């Protein structure tokens, strides 16, 4: 019987408890009585079965039968696979589709709700696209100034000369008819400065003790506004 017992054990490890290796085994597996026989999983090091004291060989062989029927790899991987199969559940999407197939009324209600929610979204997208188009047109819209006629020449009594100090410090000047509207100042500056074609601006005229602001659309002439032979400043709004 002892020979049958020894033949059934593939990998046998025997150690005395009072050696350094034996003390490590006793501490790790919490062995308090001797002698002790352990069945250890070679993959994980887990204690699978143990006997303490004097045990008959027949009993040990009987207890070893489950371990002899399958190797440690089979025993180690079989349980997680079973648990994984048992833990598989249908996703909420699959369950919802099955419910819709089994209940036609529910399917009709869901379709109706989707149509109702679709309309506000389309209206919102259409509204946002209109805002984008309007904003784009506003940004690109350029102010419309009256056409600038040719610079007049001839009788000095009918002509006035106006100098303009630009925001960058440069100075420009031009002749106008005294009867011309001062809006031609905006036409003249927009023809000389690229930014003036899109950005709003105004003029100021220095007078003793104060300054006079000239706004576009005042409907006054050069003679009426007192700009004849004067220097004014151009400023961005």
């Amino acid at each position: 019987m002892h020979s049958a017992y020894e033949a059934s054990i593939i990998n046998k490890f025997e150690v005395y408890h009072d050696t350094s290796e034996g003390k490590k085994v006793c501490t790790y597996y919490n062995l308090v009585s001797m002698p002790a026989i352990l069945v250890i999983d070679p993959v994980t090091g887990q204690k699978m079965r143990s006997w303490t004291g004097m045990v008959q060989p027949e009993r040990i062989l009987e207890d070893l039968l489950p371990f002899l029927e399958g190797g440690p790899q089979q025993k180690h991987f079989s349980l997680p696979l079973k648990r994984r199969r048992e833990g598989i559940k249908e996703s909420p999407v699959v369950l919802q589709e099955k419910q819709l197939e089994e209940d036609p009324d529910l399917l009709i209600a869901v379709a109706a709700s989707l149509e109702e929610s679709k309309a506000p979204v389309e209206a919102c997208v259409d509204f946002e696209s209109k805002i984008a188009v309007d904003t784009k047109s506003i940004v690109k819209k350029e102010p419309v100034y009256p056409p600038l006629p040719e610079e007049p020449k001839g009788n000095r009594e009918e002509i006035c000369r106006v100098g303009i100090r630009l925001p960058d410090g440069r100075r420009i000047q031009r002749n106008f008819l005294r009867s011309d509207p001062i809006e031609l100042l905006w036409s003249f500056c927009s023809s000389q400065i690229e930014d003036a074609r899109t950005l709003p601006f105004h003029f100021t005229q220095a007078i003793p003790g104060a300054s006079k602001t000239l706004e576009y659309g005042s409907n006054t002439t050069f003679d009426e506004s007192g700009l004849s032979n004067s220097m004014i400043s151009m400023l961005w709004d």
Side-chain angles (χ1 to χ4, degrees):
M1 184 61 68
H2 287 283
S3 60
Y5 163 69
E6 292 181 356
S8 64
I9 301 176
I10 299 176
N11 294 318
K12 180 176 65 175
F13 176 76
E14 183 177 353
V15 64
Y16 292 98
H17 71 280
D18 55 351
T19 62
S20 60
E21 292 293 332
K23 292 179 181 179
K24 291 180 181 179
V25 173
C26 292
T27 302
Y28 186 83
Y29 293 102
N30 194 23
L31 301 178
V32 294
S33 61
M34 300 297 163
I37 301 174
L38 306 178
V39 178
I40 300 174
D41 189 336
V43 178
T44 63
Q46 180 183 359
K47 182 177 68 175
M48 309 300 295
R49 187 74 167 81
S50 65
W51 300 266
T52 57
M54 300 302 297
V55 184
Q56 295 298 323
E58 294 84 358
R59 179 187 170 188
I60 295 178
L61 288 175
E62 183 179 353
D63 294 338
L64 287 176
L65 287 178
F67 300 97
L68 297 176
E69 292 175 357
Q73 294 290 345
Q74 296 177 355
K75 188 172 184 60
H76 185 66
F77 289 106
S78 61
L79 183 58
L81 289 174
K82 292 181 180 179
R83 289 180 179 176
R84 193 180 302 117
R85 293 192 188 99
E86 293 174 358
I88 295 176
K89 296 182 180 179
E90 292 182 335
S91 65
V93 176
V94 175
L95 292 176
Q96 185 178 10
E97 291 178 352
K98 288 185 176 180
Q99 292 176 356
L100 292 176
E101 292 176 357
E102 296 174 357
D103 193 344
D105 295 336
L106 180 60
L107 180 60
I108 295 174
V110 171
S113 63
L114 291 176
E115 289 296 330
E116 293 177 357
S117 61
K118 184 179 179 181
V121 173
E122 292 179 349
C124 182
V125 172
D126 185 57
F127 178 71
E128 291 179 353
S129 62
K130 288 182 179 179
I131 292 178
V133 172
D134 293 342
T135 305
K136 189 175 182 180
S137 62
I138 292 174
V139 172
K140 289 189 174 182
K141 185 177 180 181
E142 297 180 359
V144 179
Y145 299 126
L148 185 65
E150 292 184 3
E151 188 172 3
K153 297 179 182 180
N155 191 353
R156 292 185 177 181
E157 295 181 357
E158 297 179 355
I159 298 174
C160 66
R161 191 168 188 83
V162 179
I164 303 173
R165 183 182 293 107
L166 302 179
D168 59 3
R170 294 184 296 119
R171 295 185 181 184
I172 56 176
Q173 57 184 2
R174 190 183 191 277
N175 291 330
F176 298 92
L177 292 175
R178 294 177 181 270
S179 59
D180 285 338
I182 64 172
E183 280 78 9
L184 293 181
L185 291 171
W186 278 262
S187 304
F188 175 52
C189 288
S190 63
S191 67
Q192 301 295 315
I193 306 173
E194 184 176 357
D195 290 341
R197 299 172 186 173
T198 56
L199 299 178
F201 59 94
H202 63 278
F203 298 96
T204 59
Q205 180 186 15
I207 57 177
S211 62
K212 178 182 178 181
T213 301
L214 304 175
E215 298 289 349
Y216 184 79
S218 60
N219 296 322
T220 58
T221 64
F222 284 92
D223 192 27
E224 294 172 346
S225 60
L227 295 179
S228 178
N229 301 320
S230 62
M231 175 67 69
I232 60 176
S233 299
M234 173 188 171
L235 301 174
W236 300 112
D237 287 353

